[in-house]
């Protein structure tokens, strides 16, 4: 009998959107050898790691040369020193967690998709547009997907108001990728109440929480009463501490989180012990440093740098008459394509006329058509050159 293949791989788009963008960029460079492309596409950091953090990692690496301090496999759920520090990080926002609630991961994207291992045949509620991994992973797993359209009218935020009262896997990302919208406490409370009432699970992606400027806005879902019985939270050192290459994040699965009598913390522990061998000690040492007082000051410097980039980009687009949304608490600017262009038309125009790469809104879902996303994780000099070049998109 022939092997049975997951047919959903045949039905999904051939390329992941970020891969498609990088391919288009490479093809353009093949045909235009001297082009100096400015990449405001995939949200990848450009600021180098700070020296103190690297010193801490070097020391940790050096420990591996001594019998006494050498380490073998890391614990599947992470080292206690890092979990302690994460628990302290939450305490600053009056969230009380236990070390057992926290699982160290190799980044938010992996856990946001791997968490589906605990479920089968469900309905996932996902925003449209959305971070594409939510959609793709649910599609590949064969879940039904209920898309909730976001637009200018609803401020790129959706609520549980019109959802039928049944159990769902609900994806929330705040600050949102790609739209930059942030859920305030009231909005988040609506979701927590709905999830508790319907035995749904919220997967809360807070990978961009460190970009929130208004301290009255929630960084973590557990700032909302009742969240520990209906939500897992997925966080990352990638954008906060520049770990896109080092790979480290954390996932919170509170010990009191039960779905229909099943304890998710126990299930996730079982899953991780079987399928995950942990994050390297050296990397966890660096992650630990980034959460210390000194480390946080250093991280904040880079976050401020990216936020300034974003301000420069948003001001430039606005001056060109382009409508920008929600760029206060995010490293991304989400905007309407000028002159009624479609997302891909604008992508092509930008590449041809300005040699700038961004992400077409439709790449995040059908409701993103006619919109576009720039990442501010670029070098300042490139952002300034991009602003000069963008003047070229004005209609002649
Ligand atoms: C993005 O560009 O949306 C993300 O940074 C890519 C990622 O985190 O996977």
């Amino acid at each position: 009998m022939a092997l049975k293949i997951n047919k959903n791989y045949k039905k999904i788009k051939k390329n992941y959107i970020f891969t498609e963008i990088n391919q288009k960029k490479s093809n353009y460079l093949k045909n235009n050898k001297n082009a100096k492309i400015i990449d405001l596409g995939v949200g990848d950091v450009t600021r180098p790691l700070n020296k103190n953090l690297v010193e801490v990692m070097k020391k940790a690496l050096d420990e591996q040369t001594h019998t006494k301090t050498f380490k073998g496999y890391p614990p599947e759920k992470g080292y206690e020193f890092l979990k302690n520090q994460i628990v302290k990080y939450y305490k600053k926002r009056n969230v009380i967690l236990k070390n057992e609630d926290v699982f160290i991961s190799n980044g938010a994207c992996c856990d946001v998709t791997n968490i589906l291992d605990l479920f089968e045949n469900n309905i996932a509620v996902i925003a449209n547009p959305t971070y594409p991994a939510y959609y793709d992973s649910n599609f590949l797993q064969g879940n039904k997907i209920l898309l909730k359209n976001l637009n200018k009218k609803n401020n790129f935020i959706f609520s549980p108001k019109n959802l039928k009262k049944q159990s769902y896997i609900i994806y929330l990302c705040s600050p949102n990728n790609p739209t930059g919208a942030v859920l305030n406490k009231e909005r988040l409370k609506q979701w927590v109440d709905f999830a508790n009432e319907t035995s749904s699970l919220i997967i809360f992606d807070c990978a961009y929480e460190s970009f929130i400027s208004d301290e009255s806005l929630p960084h973590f879902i557990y700032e909302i009463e009742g969240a520990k019985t209906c939500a897992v939270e997925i966080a990352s050192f990638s954008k906060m501490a520049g770990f896109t290459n080092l790979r480290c994040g954390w996932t919170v699965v509170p010990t009191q989180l039960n779905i229909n009598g099943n304890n998710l913390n126990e299930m996730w522990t079982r899953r991780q012990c079987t399928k995950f061998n942990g994050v390297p000690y050296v990397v966890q040492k660096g992650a630990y440093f980034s959460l210390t007082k000194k480390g946080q000051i250093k991280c904040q410097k880079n976050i401020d740098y990216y936020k300034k980039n974003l301000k420069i980009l948003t001001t430039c687009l606005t001056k060109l008459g382009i409508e920008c949304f929600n760029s206060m608490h995010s490293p991304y600017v989400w905007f309407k394509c000028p002159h009624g262009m479609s997302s891909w038309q604008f992508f092509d125009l930008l590449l041809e006329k300005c040699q700038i790469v961004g992400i077409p809104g439709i790449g995040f879902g059908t409701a993103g058509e006619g919109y576009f996303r720039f990442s501010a994780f670029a070098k300042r000099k490139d952002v300034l050159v991009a602003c000069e070049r963008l003047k070229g998109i004005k209609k002649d």
Side-chain angles (χ1 to χ4, degrees):
M1 200 166 79
L3 284 182
K4 291 199 182 88
I5 296 294
N6 181 346
K7 291 194 192 73
N8 294 325
Y9 276 87
K10 281 248 159 76
K11 294 185 208 151
I12 206 159
K13 269 197 224 142
K14 189 158 178 280
N15 281 321
Y16 193 52
I17 180 67
F18 301 130
T19 317
E20 188 174 352
I21 297 299
N22 284 333
Q23 271 177 6
K24 281 191 184 279
K25 182 177 155 186
S26 308
N27 288 344
Y28 183 84
L29 283 170
K30 254 185 230 152
N31 298 325
N32 302 273
K33 295 240 162 11
N34 296 324
K36 297 247 179 313
I37 288 185
I38 293 179
D39 195 341
L40 307 176
V42 180
D44 194 3
V45 292
T46 54
R47 303 290 298 153
L49 293 169
N50 82 69
K51 287 203 170 74
N52 300 107
L53 185 141
V54 172
E55 279 311 314
V56 168
M57 288 201 297
K58 278 184 184 165
K59 207 166 144 239
L61 195 55
D62 201 42
E63 284 175 35
Q64 306 316 302
T65 62
H66 304 285
T67 318
K68 248 187 163 168
T69 46
F70 171 74
K71 301 255 185 294
Y73 284 124
E76 295 93 341
K77 294 173 70 171
Y79 285 102
E80 294 304 313
F81 65 78
L82 179 53
K83 290 197 274 179
N84 282 335
Q85 203 62 23
I86 290 170
V87 167
K88 279 191 201 156
Y89 185 59
Y90 276 78
K91 212 167 175 188
K92 283 200 244 162
R93 295 204 55 86
N94 298 318
V95 174
I96 308 298
L97 294 180
K98 303 185 291 294
N99 281 22
E100 305 93 277
D101 298 327
V102 181
F103 297 73
I104 306 305
S105 73
N106 56 358
C109 183
C110 310
D111 274 14
V112 115
T113 55
N114 289 338
I115 196 85
L116 291 175
D117 270 11
L118 308 191
F119 303 93
E120 54 182 22
N121 298 330
N122 288 293
I123 306 176
V125 177
I126 299 176
N128 179 14
T130 189
Y131 179 55
Y134 309 155
Y135 182 91
D136 285 3
S137 54
N138 276 278
F139 185 87
L140 290 173
Q141 209 190 11
N143 281 341
K144 288 205 179 88
I145 299 174
L146 189 57
L147 287 175
K148 302 301 284 178
N149 283 1
L150 305 180
N151 49 50
K152 190 178 150 181
K153 236 168 114 189
N154 57 25
N155 243 328
F156 299 95
I157 282 174
F158 70 112
S159 83
K161 242 192 226 154
N162 299 322
L163 281 181
K164 218 165 111 190
K165 294 253 166 95
Q166 63 180 81
S167 302
Y168 303 97
I169 294 176
I170 300 160
Y171 283 81
L172 299 177
C173 175
S174 177
N176 188 269
N177 180 13
T179 70
V182 184
L183 291 166
N184 63 22
K185 286 193 174 155
E186 204 186 337
R187 293 265 186 191
L188 214 42
K189 179 77 176 131
Q190 287 173 3
W191 278 110
V192 166
D193 289 347
F194 177 85
N196 277 319
E197 196 187 329
T198 56
S199 294
S200 294
L201 177 77
I202 298 174
I203 297 174
F204 189 72
D205 180 347
C206 66
Y208 298 98
E209 60 85 19
S210 51
F211 286 81
I212 295 177
S213 311
D214 174 351
E215 285 312 297
S216 72
L217 290 167
H219 287 228
F220 310 119
I221 196 162
Y222 306 114
E223 292 178 47
I224 310 299
E225 207 190 323
K228 284 185 183 166
T229 52
C230 67
V232 303
E233 177 157 283
I234 296 183
S236 173
F237 291 96
S238 285
K239 312 293 157 66
M240 178 222 280
F243 272 47
T244 54
N245 184 285
L246 289 174
R247 308 308 305 148
C248 194
W250 72 88
T251 291
V252 181
V253 186
T255 50
Q256 58 269 61
L257 177 50
N258 294 302
I259 300 273
N260 300 332
N262 299 289
N263 186 270
L264 287 202
N265 183 289
E266 283 170 15
M267 288 173 72
W268 187 241
T269 301
R270 185 68 178 82
R271 192 265 174 210
Q272 292 300 79
C273 292
T274 308
K275 295 196 179 183
F276 184 58
N277 264 349
V279 175
Y281 173 71
V282 175
V283 174
Q284 292 196 50
K285 274 287 180 184
Y288 165 87
F289 177 79
S290 77
L291 290 181
T292 60
K293 204 168 170 193
K294 197 167 166 190
Q296 281 288 286
I297 293 169
K298 308 270 179 193
C299 288
Q300 193 58 46
K301 266 196 172 162
N302 285 347
I303 291 166
D304 290 344
Y305 176 97
Y306 296 131
K307 286 184 87 153
K308 175 107 192 269
N309 279 351
L310 196 81
K311 192 143 198 236
I312 295 169
L313 281 170
T314 312
T315 308
C316 153
L317 290 167
T318 309
K319 272 194 188 150
L320 291 168
I322 292 173
E323 195 175 8
C324 301
F325 306 93
N326 300 321
S327 51
M328 287 291 290
H329 311 288
S330 159
Y332 301 119
V333 53
W334 179 249
F335 58 93
K336 192 100 185 95
C337 299
H339 319 309
M341 273 186 260
S342 74
S343 298
W344 280 115
Q345 277 173 341
F346 188 58
F347 177 90
D348 291 338
L349 175 96
L350 267 185
L351 190 54
E352 288 296 332
K353 216 165 176 182
C354 311
Q355 299 183 333
I356 293 174
V357 166
I359 309 281
I362 197 166
F364 298 99
T366 48
E369 176 58 301
Y371 290 91
F372 211 80
R373 192 197 79 176
F374 275 160
S375 156
F377 288 117
K379 294 186 182 114
R380 176 69 43 79
K381 65 173 181 23
D382 287 345
V383 167
L384 293 171
V385 175
C387 287
E388 272 309 302
R389 290 190 194 169
L390 279 167
K391 290 177 187 160
I393 62 168
K394 269 197 175 163
K395 254 197 172 153
D396 305 318

